[in-house]
Amino acid sequence: MKLLFGFILLVLLSSFNSSGINNLHEEEAKLYKLISNYRASKGLEEISLSPSLTFVAQTHAKDLALNIPLKGKCNAHSWSDQGDWEVCCYTSHHNNSNCMWDKPAELTSYKSAGYEIAARLLTKDQTFKITAEEALDGWKKSSGHKQVILNISKWKSKRWQAIGIGIYNGAACVWFGEEKDSN
């Protein structure tokens, strides 16, 4: 009986370590697997999927797609004034980085900073659509995004313990965190 209980507990824990993959739609689950495989090809460990960071990623992808907060100097890490969050205009100068890094603590019980990579794709017919493959391919070609995914250069000292994935109507967001998610 003890052995059976231990086996059931192990199965439950290992299914949680693929961590909440059931909270992802098909394209998001594919992106999580692609990122995990890419990291593994570089000798890096898989990052546990975080319910909190996934909520933030999905919320931000939807905000990017529906509200397009990219105005003036604000880039894809910006947040609109159309939700239950503080407005954030994130610029390429990184002067206001905390407005983005603090979003996980603002929106969820995840109290550590979050670091995001984001992408949007406008097709030739002026519609937004992005696949998991297109998002990762773009990030792999961008040295800054690649550095975050692979913990290299200025991100070398970070050890990602949590990841969140969100894709919505042409916007893809991935959030990384140094703390495990307690949810």
Side-chain angles (χ1 to χ4, degrees):
M1 184 68 162
K2 203 183 252 188
L3 183 60
L4 179 60
F5 176 76
F7 175 74
I8 291 170
L9 184 60
L10 180 62
V11 169
L12 287 173
L13 289 174
S14 66
S15 69
F16 184 75
N17 262 352
S18 307
S19 314
I21 201 145
N22 296 333
N23 294 330
L24 302 179
H25 68 64
E26 184 178 345
E27 206 61 26
E28 291 169 334
K30 189 184 297 182
L31 182 54
Y32 176 65
K33 288 179 183 176
L34 287 170
I35 289 172
S36 294
N37 291 342
Y38 180 51
R39 286 177 53 83
S41 76
K42 304 296 184 186
L44 300 169
E45 71 277 357
E46 183 175 67
I47 307 167
S48 294
L49 193 57
S50 158
S52 297
L53 293 181
T54 294
F55 175 80
V56 175
Q58 291 171 339
T59 301
H60 195 218
K62 196 171 210 177
D63 184 46
L64 284 174
L66 298 177
N67 302 314
I68 313 170
L70 317 174
K71 296 176 174 87
K73 295 180 181 180
C74 303
N75 65 27
H77 300 299
S78 300
W79 290 69
S80 76
D81 61 357
Q82 300 298 307
D84 292 330
W85 52 75
E86 293 292 319
V87 174
C88 174
C89 178
Y90 192 94
T91 65
S92 60
H93 296 87
H94 310 290
N95 292 340
N96 196 18
S97 57
N98 284 347
C99 80
M100 186 261 290
W101 294 347
D102 293 346
K103 283 297 179 231
E106 180 184 335
L107 299 174
T108 71
S109 62
Y110 190 84
K111 296 306 173 202
S112 186
Y115 305 93
E116 180 189 48
I117 57 175
R120 289 196 57 202
L121 182 63
L122 181 63
T123 63
K124 290 178 185 175
D125 66 352
Q126 301 299 299
T127 58
F128 289 102
K129 183 173 170 83
I130 195 164
T131 66
E133 291 88 354
E134 290 167 331
L136 184 58
D137 286 345
W139 291 325
K140 286 164 72 174
K141 292 174 185 167
S142 163
S143 65
H145 294 98
K146 181 179 177 178
Q147 291 170 9
V148 173
I149 295 168
L150 298 178
N151 297 103
I152 54 179
S153 190
K154 71 178 184 178
W155 301 97
K156 189 174 186 162
S157 65
K158 306 282 185 197
R159 184 166 180 262
W160 303 138
Q161 298 289 313
I163 188 171
I165 310 286
I167 298 177
Y168 185 86
N169 196 28
C173 299
V174 177
W175 284 75
F176 297 88
E178 294 181 87
E179 301 293 325
K180 288 195 179 285
D181 194 339
S182 61
N183 287 333

